[in-house]
């Protein structure tokens, strides 16, 4: 018992004085870092919103969306994608969920000495193909080279800007009781595909990452149903992190129905093998949509006409009381509170 207490005390002390892998996981430790280190120094109206992209006013009535993200996934190539497709899709999707139309991407590369140039060219080909798929261009960039083995081959940073063609405002403060929660398809494919490729390369599986740019699908959805309340892509922290965060931020009760959450059999099997909860696992081709109940059928009809959303489902609802909790109704009829993951169960998956 004494040894366990010493370990816990050391962990808590180091948490306050040293950065751990868990600080980058998109969970509670990431929130702690943002609140204690970044916001006190840089806080402003756009940053304090803590959305996937900052929405910045330009010239009075005009608005621009801006985002940036770093990618350190290992391995560089995985079933269904690679670090290049991941970087473009992640940046495009972060812009699209604000309602913006992505326009341009900046590309920053950190390459390790000794990287096979064929690998670099394959990743650049993937970036070119994904930007063409998304309808955006790489308009500027930067490349640095570091010592052998210092960057695990390659790190990528992408920044993006987007413009608004509609006056739609997608924001958590528009969420209200009665709203439904919709996801465009099966969850947890990306994180588990990467984890299997890295930790169990000998395992043969049909599981593939869902990584894809969603901006065109989202723009068509907004054209069909303009009054959507909010959208976010459930990347780090997964569905659990996103919905727990929304409940805490809005103050409403969010109820998820486990029987309605789509998950592929191979994904469920991989989660069981790795001892992971699929709700906590990152997605890179999924979007969670909060919409009025009266618009639910229109949202589903619009999504199910899309190749990336044929299996769209309503997975939950926003309810009273105003307790700020997210609750899962299990397949057995039980109930459990969903918490935002503390750290990161699956490091280096994005």
């Amino acid at each position: 018992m004494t040894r366990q207490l010493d370990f816990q005390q050391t962990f808590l002390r180091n948490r306050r004085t040293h950065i751990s892998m868990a600080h980058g996981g998109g969970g509670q430790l990431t929130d702690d870092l943002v609140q204690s280190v970044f916001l006190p120094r840089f806080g402003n109206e756009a940053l304090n919103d803590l959305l996937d992209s900052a929405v910045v006013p330009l010239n009075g009535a005009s608005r621009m969306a801006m985002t940036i993200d770093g990618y350190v996934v290992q391995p560089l190539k995985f079933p269904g994608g690679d670090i290049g497709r991941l970087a473009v899709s992640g940046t495009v999707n972060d812009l699209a969920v604000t309602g913006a139309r992505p326009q341009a991407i900046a590309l920053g590369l950190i390459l390790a000495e000794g990287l096979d140039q064929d690998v670099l060219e394959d990743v650049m080909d993937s970036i070119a193909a994904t930007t063409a798929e998304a309808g955006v261009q790489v308009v500027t960039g930067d490349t640095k080279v570091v010592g052998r083995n210092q960057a695990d081959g390659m790190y990528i940073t992408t920044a993006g800007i987007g413009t608004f063609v509609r006056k739609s405002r997608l924001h958590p403060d528009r969420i209200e009781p009665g709203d439904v929660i919709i996801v465009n398809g099966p969850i947890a494919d990306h994180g588990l595909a990467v984890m299997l490729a890295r930790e169990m390369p000998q395992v043969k599986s049909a599981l593939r990452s869902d990584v894809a740019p969603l901006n065109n699908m989202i723009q068509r959805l907004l054209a069909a149903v303009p009054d959507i309340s909010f959208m976010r892509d459930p990347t780090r922290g997964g569905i659990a992190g996103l919905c727990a965060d929304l409940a805490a931020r809005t103050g409403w009760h969010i109820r998820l129905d486990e029987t309605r959450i789509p998950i592929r059999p191979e994904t469920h099997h991989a989660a069981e093998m790795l001892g992971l909860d699929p709700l906590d696992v990152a997605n890179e081709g999924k979007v969670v949509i909060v919409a009025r109940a009266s618009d639910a059928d229109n949202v589903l009809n619009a999504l199910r006409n899309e190749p990336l959303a044929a299996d769209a489902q309503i997975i939950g609802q926003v309810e009273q009381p105003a307790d700020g909790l997210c609750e899962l109704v299990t397949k057995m009829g039980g109930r459990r509170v969903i918490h935002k993951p503390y750290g990161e169960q699956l490091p280096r998956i994005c």
Side-chain angles (χ1 to χ4, degrees):
M1 178 65 72
T2 301
R3 182 175 299 177
Q4 183 179 4
L5 288 173
D6 288 345
F7 172 80
Q8 290 173 341
Q9 291 170 356
T10 300
F11 175 81
L12 291 172
R13 183 170 60 253
N14 287 343
R15 189 185 105 184
R16 291 190 295 267
T17 59
H18 296 80
I19 298 301
S20 69
M21 289 291 289
H23 280 100
Q28 293 178 27
L29 275 184
T30 302
D31 289 351
D32 289 349
L33 200 64
V34 170
Q35 295 292 337
S36 64
V37 177
F38 303 132
L39 288 184
R41 291 168 171 82
F42 310 123
N44 56 66
E45 184 177 355
L47 181 60
N48 292 349
D49 243 353
L50 296 178
L51 300 178
D52 287 343
S53 295
V55 178
V56 182
L58 295 175
N59 301 324
S62 299
R63 295 180 298 158
M64 178 184 76
M66 181 178 182
T67 191
I68 187 169
D69 214 336
Y71 296 88
V72 297
V73 65
Q74 280 293 321
L76 298 177
K77 297 181 181 181
F78 45 83
D82 58 33
I83 190 172
R85 181 169 178 79
L86 181 62
V88 173
S89 298
T91 297
V92 162
N93 294 345
D94 281 350
L95 293 168
V97 294
T98 67
R101 177 171 291 172
Q103 298 291 338
I105 287 178
L107 176 65
L109 303 176
I110 298 178
L111 310 177
E113 181 184 24
L115 175 69
D116 189 325
Q117 186 162 326
D118 286 343
V119 173
L120 175 61
E121 292 188 8
D122 286 348
V123 171
M124 294 304 104
D125 286 342
S126 180
I127 288 175
T130 310
T131 54
E133 182 181 344
V136 298
Q137 292 182 317
V138 174
V139 296
T140 189
D142 181 59
T143 303
K144 298 290 190 298
V145 178
V146 297
R148 190 175 295 269
N149 299 323
Q150 288 188 3
D152 289 339
M154 180 188 311
Y155 297 155
I156 294 180
T157 297
T158 44
I161 58 171
T163 56
F164 292 87
V165 296
R166 298 179 184 85
K167 294 183 179 180
S168 304
R169 180 175 177 268
L170 305 173
H171 197 279
D173 65 14
R174 297 193 63 232
I175 296 173
E176 60 186 40
D179 284 355
V180 294
I181 299 168
I182 297 170
V183 68
N184 64 307
I187 68 166
D189 292 345
H190 172 74
L192 290 166
V194 172
M195 199 65 172
L196 276 184
R198 183 167 69 221
E199 303 298 334
M200 299 181 179
Q202 74 282 3
V203 173
K204 303 296 183 184
S205 174
L207 183 58
R208 296 172 63 82
S209 168
D210 63 345
V211 59
L214 302 176
N215 57 308
N216 293 319
M217 180 193 80
I218 287 173
Q219 285 294 321
R220 287 190 288 268
L221 172 62
L222 289 174
V225 190
D227 196 34
I228 285 171
S229 302
F230 182 67
M231 286 191 282
R232 175 169 286 172
D233 49 338
T235 52
R236 293 179 302 170
I239 294 288
L242 189 158
C243 291
D245 186 59
L246 275 186
R249 180 163 181 171
T250 63
W252 299 120
H253 186 92
I254 290 181
R255 174 179 52 82
L256 300 178
D257 184 345
E258 187 176 26
T259 64
R260 303 293 300 273
I261 299 174
I263 181 169
R264 301 182 202 279
E266 58 268 31
T267 306
H268 189 271
H269 180 60
E272 288 187 330
M273 281 199 306
L274 294 166
L276 299 170
D277 185 344
L279 293 179
D280 294 339
V281 176
N283 311 266
E284 293 292 348
K286 297 296 173 289
V287 59
V288 169
I289 299 155
V290 185
R292 304 290 184 241
S294 58
D295 285 329
D297 287 342
N298 291 335
V299 172
L300 289 174
N301 290 336
L303 287 174
R304 288 171 179 168
N305 286 323
E306 299 283 342
L308 295 174
D311 298 315
Q313 293 286 344
I314 296 174
I315 63 170
Q317 187 164 354
V318 181
E319 300 177 335
Q320 296 274 15
D323 57 11
L325 294 178
C326 179
E327 183 180 50
L328 179 74
V329 179
T330 69
K331 293 176 181 177
M332 301 299 293
R335 292 173 178 261
R336 67 179 174 95
V337 174
I338 297 293
H339 296 285
K340 194 168 187 176
Y342 184 70
E344 185 169 30
Q345 292 180 314
L346 303 174
R348 306 291 298 279
I349 57 173
C350 61

